[in-house]
Amino acid sequence: MNKRVIFHINKLYINENVRDIVQKVKLKQQRCSFSFVRYFSGLVGNKDKYGDVETPIFRPKRVVILSRITRYEFEKIRYKDAAEDQFKAKMQRKRSDYQTLLERHLKHYSCVENMTKLLNENGIETKVVKRPQYTKEVLDWADAVITAGGDGTFLDAASKILTVDMPIIGLNTDPDRSEGQLCLSKEKYSALHFDKVLNLLLNGDFRWKWRQRIRITMSGYHASDNPIELSDQQLHYLEHRYTEHVAENEVCSRPLFMKGFSHTRVLPVRALNEVYLGECLSSRVSYYEFSVDGSPSVKEKSSGVTVCTGTGSTSWHFHINQLTPESVQDILNIANMEGQCCYPTSDNDYVETVTRAFNNSLIFDPSEPYMGYTVRDPIVNGVFQVPSPRGKAKRLVVGSRMWDASLVLDGGCSFRFNDGAIATMEIFPEDALRTVQLD
């Protein structure tokens, strides 16, 4: 009988043959030594025990630094034919502080130059690129990715990393103006203190931190479409307010799980924060079919659907679903009247505690192998129902019945998602993103 083991990666389990696991561990060892061997807990079904068996190793030979495009650079691209004095005047007319933009630009590149210098002094070859040059070829060349910017730069870098053996380290280059939740602590480990960060990494004074990501498989229409940058997205159709439920369309629309969509493609990017599916124009109602963990599909209308990882549960997902103390107080007052309860609604500390407990329940760990979904502003009437407007799942399927819709990953990269397109969202352990934790 073929014995199998549990390969544990920070609470993520991959049931595989031992030989396959060892082969994955050895991947890229010729160029870079990253230890992620975990404790084998025994046969499938045994109680899990996990932990690193050795000190983590960070000894890359080649590192790519993804540098953010500063606001100064962005504006210079827009006014590329303007001399510096003319450019300064244009910024002033827009009520933008030219001097501050320039200072932040110079500060950012001072950090990038220092990072490059320190890496080179430690025998690590570096290549600094911006988003347009951040390609598969660059990733194949590198052993590790370091981002210089904020969360946006980190998300850009993470989306194209498709293997578990490529570490990514985020450094905030502007800690005074950027929070950078996905980056290392801006108070202790910003790009301004890269010498300290690099010493810790090279000495093995860190832990691997794993962040789950969402894999999307597109089938039906638009399965082969290229991604579109959100800034370039345009509306392609007129308003079809009165035609979206024409009888012919309803009769001809094939059910979500009907066979016949042989053309499928796994999208070449992964979502670290969230996926949004809905009409491009926010004032337009989104119409789709929705299935959770293999349940029968349900036709729904809403303001779109968001699907997040544990990493993204603190972001959009949290702010969509969080309650205010005023709302909680109103609910408790109604419960007192309707249920003859005696909740102390005049006690502000009690209301704050209940509010905090509910809001914290929306957040889950980045390593957890499931997704959180939210149906935004669901329409519920005699025709449309939304059985579960919020929940967690391992597999979600959305079939589009929309006219000018998009599937957007992490607020940056989008794919057309119009009538006939089907998106299947899943979590796979091999898609987990390898990051670093210093504390």
Side-chain angles (χ1 to χ4, degrees), residues 6 16 24 41 103 120 122 136 192 197 227 304 327-328 337 358 371 388 390 393 407:
I6 294 178
E16 294 189 75
K24 287 187 177 183
S41 64
E103 289 174 0
N120 290 338
N122 283 274
K136 180 181 182 299
L192 301 173
V197 172
S327 296
V328 171
M337 290 187 294
F358 173 81
M371 301 168 286
S388 179
R390 175 173 61 85
L407 181 153

Side-chain angles (χ1 to χ4, degrees), residues 140-404:
D140 289 341
W141 171 87
D143 298 316
V145 176
I146 295 178
T147 65
D151 283 347
T153 309
F154 189 95
L155 290 170
D156 288 341
S159 67
K160 294 183 180 179
I161 296 175
L162 303 181
T163 63
V164 295
D165 63 315
M166 178 66 75
I168 177 173
I169 302 161
L171 293 167
N172 196 324
T173 57
D174 194 3
D176 293 334
R177 295 173 178 268
S178 172
E179 190 61 32
Q181 294 284 356
L182 298 175
C183 301
L184 298 177
S185 168
K186 70 175 187 178
E187 286 80 17
K188 299 169 60 177
Y189 306 120
S190 73
L192 301 173
H193 306 104
F194 185 65
D195 54 342
K196 180 180 179 181
V197 172
L198 187 57
N199 285 334
L200 291 172
L201 292 174
L202 296 178
N203 291 331
D205 295 330
F206 68 93
R207 295 194 304 274
W208 295 123
K209 181 180 179 65
W210 298 91
R211 295 181 181 272
Q212 283 287 13
R213 295 185 295 171
I214 301 172
R215 181 190 298 187
I216 303 105
T217 302
M218 192 82 83
S219 59
Y221 294 104
H222 307 298
S224 299
D225 287 1
N226 292 322
I228 305 169
E229 294 302 324
L230 199 60
S231 58
D232 298 330
Q233 182 78 351
Q234 296 178 355
L235 299 180
H236 302 289
Y237 300 99
L238 298 175
E239 177 70 68
H240 291 276
R241 184 183 302 276
Y242 301 107
T243 61
E244 60 184 346
H245 295 304
V246 172
E248 289 82 1
N249 184 49
E250 290 292 317
V251 171
C252 295
S253 294
R254 294 194 282 183
L256 186 58
F257 295 107
M258 184 174 180
K259 294 182 179 180
F261 288 111
S262 58
H263 188 195
T264 63
R265 179 177 70 131
V266 176
L267 298 186
V269 289
R270 303 288 183 266
L272 177 59
N273 259 0
E274 74 268 318
V275 178
Y276 168 76
L277 307 97
E279 288 280 1
C280 298
L281 189 62
S282 60
S283 61
R284 205 180 277 173
V285 175
S286 298
Y287 178 37
Y288 52 87
E289 294 180 60
F290 194 39
S291 171
V292 179
D293 285 333
S295 63
S297 61
V298 177
K299 290 183 179 180
E300 298 179 352
K301 296 181 78 174
S302 69
S303 295
V305 178
T306 65
V307 181
C308 76
T309 63
T311 298
S313 66
T314 62
S315 186
W316 198 4
H317 171 83
F318 179 84
H319 292 98
I320 292 172
N321 293 291
Q322 70 172 328
L323 294 178
T324 64
E326 291 78 15
S327 296
V328 171
Q329 190 175 46
D330 289 343
I331 292 171
L332 294 177
N333 281 327
I334 294 172
N336 285 341
M337 290 187 294
E338 298 294 331
Q340 296 181 348
C341 302
C342 298
Y343 296 114
T345 56
S346 60
D347 185 343
N348 291 334
D349 289 339
Y350 175 79
V351 174
E352 288 282 354
T353 300
V354 174
T355 303
R356 192 180 309 111
F358 173 81
N359 290 340
N360 287 340
S361 71
L362 301 171
I363 301 171
F364 54 101
D365 192 84
S367 66
E368 294 297 334
Y370 51 79
M371 301 168 286
Y373 67 88
T374 302
V375 178
R376 300 175 63 218
D377 312 320
I379 293 177
V380 178
N381 53 33
V383 178
F384 291 95
Q385 300 293 320
V386 179
S388 179
R390 175 173 61 85
K392 294 177 181 177
K394 291 183 177 293
R395 188 173 190 268
L396 297 167
V397 182
V398 181
S400 176
R401 297 298 179 206
M402 293 173 276
W403 296 100
D404 189 27

